[in-house]
């Protein structure tokens, strides 16, 4: 599907990196970005988000390039989306809808599919009016007269009932997860969750550590469902449980944060977070902060965290570790692809498992340490 990407620079954040991410998202959804249209504004236009002049420019590009869909790198209101589709005569998608679509394609487990459907219905409920103005009329005709409801009200009620049912089923699954976690707790099994920006290499690292065979691809949101495996770390430490979770992304739709809370419960109840970072990315610091922001949203910001600086081969770095002012490991430099530094990472997990609760590196200190970008020489213990 031929797509036009639209990004408006409001003077906040890394605009270029955000556009590159939008292109990756579009390709992950199956679209082919043909052209990118940008503009600078102080604030969004209430009617078209981009203003009427820029909307006409997008329309001309759609005709010239035979565009089938226009994807905005922003969240559009239902009215803005409706006005743009009328003006452009093509389908318009915003960032939230695009991410929801990718999630719908990738969900594999029963729980993942339920969570995606819940997020989609919550999003749909806010914009039922778009394209359904004919449903505002009362149902009429012999045998079709309802109890005073318009079709639009009926749709909203049905969506509300479905949302309630999905939440009930997800709550039951959450209780099952809680039972499994209590069982692990009784067995005193140390639990580790891999978190990080999408495409940072979490699933590759997970596979390398556990030989799990989780799907890996150079695309955003390749993994949606949490997978847990045991990892044996020697006689003294024994088994630990490692969980691979969904990747985070900037401006992750709130519906998804809420809907995927059950999946992210593994993160909330972990003893240690391995925050996997793409060490070769020029916007790694922004990505670290985006992940920490979502962790704060789900209540996991208090959990001890070690930054795993991945893809060191692409970044020109050497394997090694860094320690904070309390002599706790704050950063490990590895390559999940080549296996370089994985022995150091295993040692870091063992050290964290042996430590008393709360003695691993503090997330705030880890983030402060991350702002110091090392050179290509070996980074060893202080």
């Amino acid at each position: 599907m031929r797509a036009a990407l639209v990004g408006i620079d409001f003077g906040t954040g890394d605009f270029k990196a955000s556009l590159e991410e939008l292109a990756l998202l579009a390709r992950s959804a199956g679209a082919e970005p043909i052209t990118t249209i940008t503009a600078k504004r102080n604030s969004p236009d209430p009617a078209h988000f981009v203003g009427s002049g820029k909307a006409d420019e997008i329309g001309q590009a759609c005709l010239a390039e035979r565009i089938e869909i226009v994807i905005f790198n922003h969240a559009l209101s239902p009215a803005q989306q409706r006005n743009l589709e009328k003006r452009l005569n093509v389908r318009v998608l915003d960032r939230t809808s695009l991410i929801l679509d990718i999630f719908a394609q990738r969900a594999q487990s029963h729980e993942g599919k339920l969570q995606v459907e819940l997020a989609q219905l919550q999003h749909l409920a806010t914009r039922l009016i778009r394209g359904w103005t004919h449903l505002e009329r009362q149902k009429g005709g012999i045998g079709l007269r309802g109890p005073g409801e318009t079709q639009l009200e009926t749709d909203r009620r049905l969506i509300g009932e479905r949302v309630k049912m999905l939440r009930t089923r997800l709550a039951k699954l959450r209780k099952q997860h809680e039972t499994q976690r209590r069982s692990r707790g009784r067995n005193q099994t140390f639990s580790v969750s891999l978190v990080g920006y999408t495409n940072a290499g979490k699933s590759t690292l997970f596979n390398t550590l556990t030989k799990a065979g989780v799907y890996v691809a150079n695309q955003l949101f390749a993994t949606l469902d949490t997978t847990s495996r045991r990892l044996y770390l020697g006689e003294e430490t024994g088994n630990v449980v490692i969980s691979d979770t969904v990747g985070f992304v900037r401006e992750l739709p709130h519906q998804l944060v809420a809907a995927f809370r059950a999946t992210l419960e593994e993160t909330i109840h972990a003893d240690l977070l391995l925050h996997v970072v793409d060490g070769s990315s020029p916007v790694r610091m922004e990505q670290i902060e985006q992940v920490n922001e979502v962790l704060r949203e789900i209540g996991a910001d208090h959990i001890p965290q070690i930054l795993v600086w991945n893809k060191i081969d692409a970044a020109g770095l050497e394997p090694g570790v860094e320690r904070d002012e309390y002599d706790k490991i704050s950063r490990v430099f590895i390559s999940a692809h080549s296996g370089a530094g994985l022995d150091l990472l295993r040692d870091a997990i063992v050290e964290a498992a042996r430590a008393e609760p709360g003695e691993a590196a503090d997330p705030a200190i880890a983030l402060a340490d991350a702002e110091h970008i090392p050179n290509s020489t070996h980074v060893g213990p202080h």
Side-chain angles (χ1 to χ4, degrees):
M1 181 175 285
R2 297 171 66 86
L5 309 183
V6 179
I8 308 302
D9 186 0
F10 294 108
T12 58
D14 192 322
F15 180 62
K16 183 180 177 184
S18 180
L19 275 182
E20 289 172 353
E21 185 174 282
L22 180 67
L24 267 176
L25 285 168
R27 291 190 186 96
S28 296
E32 180 188 359
I34 302 298
T35 183
T36 302
I37 300 163
T38 62
K40 287 188 176 182
R41 289 183 66 92
N42 293 324
S43 61
D45 176 72
H48 296 93
F49 193 87
V50 293
S52 56
K54 182 58 68 171
D56 289 338
E57 181 186 330
I58 297 170
Q60 291 167 6
C62 288
L63 288 173
E65 301 288 349
R66 294 178 288 109
I67 297 299
E68 299 170 86
I69 189 169
V70 175
I71 303 173
F72 275 71
N73 193 28
H74 313 273
L76 301 175
S77 72
Q80 288 167 339
Q81 190 170 354
R82 184 170 66 251
N83 292 339
L84 283 164
E85 288 187 340
K86 284 182 180 178
R87 193 166 192 130
L88 303 177
N89 291 316
V90 296
R91 190 174 169 220
V92 174
L93 213 61
D94 66 357
R95 184 185 176 89
T96 300
S97 300
L98 178 64
I99 293 175
L100 285 170
D101 184 80
I102 296 171
F103 271 58
Q105 291 182 41
R106 302 285 163 73
Q108 297 294 325
S109 71
H110 174 63
E111 181 181 11
K113 290 175 181 177
L114 289 179
Q115 290 167 331
V116 169
E117 184 183 352
L118 175 59
Q120 287 179 314
L121 288 175
Q122 289 173 324
H123 184 61
L124 176 64
T126 65
R127 47 194 69 217
L128 262 181
I129 190 70
R130 182 176 64 86
W132 295 86
T133 52
H134 66 287
L135 296 181
E136 291 177 356
R137 297 192 297 270
Q138 289 283 144
K139 289 188 289 187
I142 297 173
L144 294 176
R145 294 183 181 90
E149 276 189 317
T150 64
Q151 182 63 49
L152 191 60
E153 289 168 343
T154 302
D155 288 350
R156 283 185 177 138
R157 178 170 51 79
L158 291 173
I159 285 177
E161 290 171 358
R162 180 71 179 169
V163 164
K164 184 178 178 181
M165 184 272 292
L166 289 171
R167 283 177 172 159
T168 300
R169 290 168 69 177
L170 285 169
K172 289 181 181 177
L173 288 169
R174 191 176 296 125
K175 286 182 180 178
Q176 292 174 10
H177 291 319
E178 188 62 40
T179 301
Q180 292 167 357
R181 276 191 294 271
R182 279 199 298 269
S183 175
R184 288 206 299 264
R186 284 194 295 270
N187 296 332
Q188 295 183 325
T189 306
F190 190 77
S191 62
V192 180
S193 277
L194 299 179
V195 299
Y197 209 78
T198 186
N199 212 27
K202 295 186 308 305
S203 295
T204 301
L205 176 59
F206 184 74
N207 284 342
T208 305
L209 286 172
T210 67
K211 308 296 188 290
V214 170
Y215 177 66
V216 174
N218 183 27
Q219 56 186 203
L220 302 188
F221 303 121
T223 303
L224 285 188
D225 300 304
T226 297
T227 307
S228 298
R229 293 288 187 275
R230 290 186 181 275
L231 175 65
Y232 183 71
L233 291 175
E235 289 185 11
E236 188 172 339
T237 305
N239 284 314
V240 301
V241 173
I242 295 190
S243 300
D244 183 24
T245 61
V246 61
F248 301 161
V249 70
R250 74 183 76 204
E251 299 174 34
L252 188 67
H254 287 290
Q255 297 98 329
L256 282 177
V257 173
F260 274 76
R261 191 176 181 90
T263 299
L264 295 171
E265 289 280 336
E266 291 293 339
T267 301
I268 299 172
H269 294 279
D271 296 306
L272 175 68
L273 299 182
L274 296 182
H275 184 162
V276 184
V277 180
D278 181 353
S280 65
S281 172
V283 292
R284 52 187 173 261
M285 297 313 304
E286 290 88 342
Q287 292 178 349
I288 290 172
E289 183 49 44
Q290 289 289 333
V291 172
N292 285 334
E293 185 178 326
V294 176
L295 290 175
R296 283 191 290 271
E297 275 195 63
I298 64 174
D301 53 326
H302 65 286
I303 299 171
Q305 184 183 118
I306 294 176
L307 285 172
V308 180
W309 216 259
N310 191 25
K311 305 185 184 182
I312 57 171
D313 40 357
L317 303 173
E318 295 293 325
V321 299
E322 282 188 357
R323 294 178 179 268
D324 61 23
E325 55 189 289
Y326 304 106
D327 199 35
K328 304 299 176 186
I329 294 177
S330 60
R331 210 161 27 154
V332 183
F333 298 86
I334 68 156
S335 169
H337 180 69
S338 69
L342 288 185
D343 54 336
L344 299 174
L345 180 59
R346 290 188 183 93
D347 291 343
I349 297 172
V350 168
E351 184 175 314
R354 288 174 181 170
E356 291 297 320
E359 285 194 4
D362 183 86
I365 296 173
L367 178 57
D369 289 345
E371 293 176 358
H372 165 66
I373 307 300
N375 55 30
S376 58
T377 58
H378 174 78
V379 184
H382 289 188

